[in-house]
Amino acid sequence: MKNFSCSCGQTLFFENTRCLNCDKPVGFDAGSRQMYPTDPDIQDAPRGPGVLCRNATVFGVCNWFVSDQDSDFCLSCTLNHTIPNLLEPDRRRWWKSLEQAKRRLIYSLLSLQLPVVSKGDARDGLAFKFIEDQRTNPLVREEFVSTGHNDGLITINIAEADHVRREQSRQYTGELYRTLLGHFRHEAGHYYFDRLVKNSGTLEAFRVLFGDERKDYSAALQDYYANRTSLQKDPDLISHYAQAHPLEDWAEVWSHYLHMVDTLETAATYGMQQGSELSDDIDQLLVKWSQLSMMLNSLNRSMGLEDAYPFVLSDLTLSKLRFVHGLIYPS
């Protein structure tokens, strides 16, 4: 993720709603992937005043401009199928965290020039459903809501936006890494499997690397969760959960690819030699990622924190990351 600049010279970050120096309100324009003042003056970029998303002006959970002047919502918010019940305590705070993570995902997808279309506009489009279950709200109908993907609809249990509950889940499942952004990137991987692999000429190459995706998905997940605690991690796979099913292995690798390219772009923004541009050669990206992730882990240890990237990438995983890169940047 790159940083942005206000006309006064102050650095703007992706989540900013105002410039901290000149106090101008600012917003993000998805078309140009730039941030602008909402009411520019002669010193600002040559563009008309931006119209902020309704979720920015009414609820304060967004900072994007609308892309379609006939809509009240920005590109990211038009992807929403269901939002939390804002009459419940904490739900607006949780929703804001969900929207911030979603916008970071959408920024990466746009930067990689991947198709981002609302399911309301196209049958094979994308949509997001943010709901909870009776574990956090006994008054709702759903007894159990699992984060997942189905035909372009990504469901996120909004309890994942609560830091304490998410950490409890991470400890219970024995995961090395669990974040809101990680959930969004993982579930997006399922969606882009359907768009980039499922009916393409790359399906056989996928099966060679990941396995046969036609394996019974429900049975595989039931077996995984029934034996999760006794199942030793396969050192060739990127995570413990990647063992559940070839499609979960794919989604894990896809999310790690997005972790990698976004963090490398951030490093490049700060002038680090380990930084890299999105479209760089994949072998160069992987070498720089190895260097950068080791440095991130060392910095975290210096602060008494857990490793920022607690993963070891096998040769097979590196081949899978190359496969993902080749889908996004076909030669």
Side-chain angles (χ1 to χ4, degrees), residues 93 96-97 115 140 158 184 204 213 260-261 296 320 327:
R93 176 171 56 84
K96 184 174 183 178
S97 296
V140 299
I158 66 171
F184 277 94
E204 287 305 317
E213 83 290 351
M260 177 179 72
V261 296
L296 287 172
K320 293 172 181 177
L327 291 172

Side-chain angles (χ1 to χ4, degrees), residues 2-8 10 12-14 16-19 22-41 43-52 63-66:
K2 64 183 179 180
N3 291 331
F4 309 89
S5 295
C6 182
S7 58
C8 72
Q10 175 74 17
L12 298 174
F13 300 102
F14 188 61
N16 280 155
T17 58
R18 305 188 79 87
C19 173
C22 68
D23 203 40
K24 285 181 182 175
V26 296
F28 178 80
D29 178 64
S32 62
R33 299 197 302 280
Q34 295 291 336
M35 295 193 78
Y36 300 100
T38 59
D39 190 12
D41 57 34
Q43 296 178 330
D44 296 318
R47 69 187 300 277
V51 178
L52 282 171
N63 68 337
W64 282 25
F65 294 121
V66 300

Side-chain angles (χ1 to χ4, degrees), residues 81-243:
H81 175 281
T82 307
I83 65 170
N85 179 2
L86 301 183
L87 298 179
E88 294 289 334
D90 295 326
R91 295 334 184 244
R92 185 177 297 193
R93 176 171 56 84
W94 289 2
W95 183 32
K96 184 174 183 178
S97 296
L98 288 160
E99 291 294 344
Q100 287 177 337
K102 173 158 66 77
R103 287 195 298 274
R104 279 192 170 256
L105 168 68
I106 301 306
Y107 171 89
S108 292
L109 300 178
L110 293 173
S111 297
L112 295 170
Q113 299 183 23
L114 291 164
V116 180
V117 180
S118 169
K119 204 165 182 60
D121 296 327
R123 186 174 181 179
D124 61 352
L126 185 60
F128 293 87
K129 185 177 182 180
F130 302 143
I131 57 176
E132 62 183 318
D133 58 37
Q134 293 177 5
R135 291 173 295 174
T136 53
N137 185 351
L139 300 180
V140 299
R141 180 180 59 187
E142 293 81 4
E143 294 184 9
F144 182 86
V145 171
S146 178
T147 293
H149 166 266
N150 182 30
D151 191 29
L153 179 61
I154 292 175
T155 299
I156 305 287
N157 188 321
I158 66 171
E160 290 290 338
D162 183 89
H163 296 296
V164 174
R165 295 177 189 276
R166 190 171 64 250
E167 178 59 19
Q168 289 172 337
S169 295
R170 188 186 75 83
Q171 294 286 345
Y172 175 75
T173 56
E175 295 174 325
L176 296 175
Y177 173 92
R178 190 183 183 101
T179 67
L180 266 184
L181 185 53
H183 280 309
F184 277 94
R185 286 172 171 165
H186 175 100
E187 299 306 335
H190 289 296
Y191 172 70
Y192 284 100
F193 173 83
D194 292 344
R195 296 297 302 268
L196 301 177
V197 181
K198 188 174 183 179
N199 297 310
S200 74
T202 62
L203 189 54
E204 287 305 317
F206 169 90
R207 290 172 180 164
V208 170
L209 287 171
F210 294 90
D212 194 336
E213 83 290 351
R214 294 168 295 188
K215 177 182 178 183
D216 190 303
Y217 183 80
S218 296
L221 260 63
Q222 288 178 3
D223 182 64
Y224 171 78
Y225 283 113
N227 299 286
R228 175 182 54 80
T229 55
S230 61
L231 187 65
Q232 295 295 314
K233 179 188 177 299
D234 185 338
D236 273 341
L237 300 186
I238 199 165
S239 70
H240 197 285
Y241 186 54
Q243 299 172 112

Side-chain angles (χ1 to χ4, degrees), residues 246-297:
L247 290 176
E248 295 304 333
D249 185 17
W250 155 266
E252 288 286 90
V253 171
W254 175 275
S255 65
H256 280 253
Y257 180 83
L258 295 186
H259 294 335
M260 177 179 72
V261 296
D262 189 56
T263 309
L264 286 169
E265 184 187 38
T266 303
T269 294
Y270 285 96
M272 297 176 60
Q273 65 179 14
Q274 295 88 355
S276 187
E277 300 299 326
L278 297 179
S279 58
D280 281 352
D281 174 80
I282 182 58
D283 289 318
Q284 185 180 32
L285 284 171
L286 291 172
V287 168
K288 289 188 173 183
W289 179 238
S290 176
Q291 297 170 347
L292 182 62
S293 59
M294 284 192 292
M295 183 179 67
L296 287 172
N297 289 343

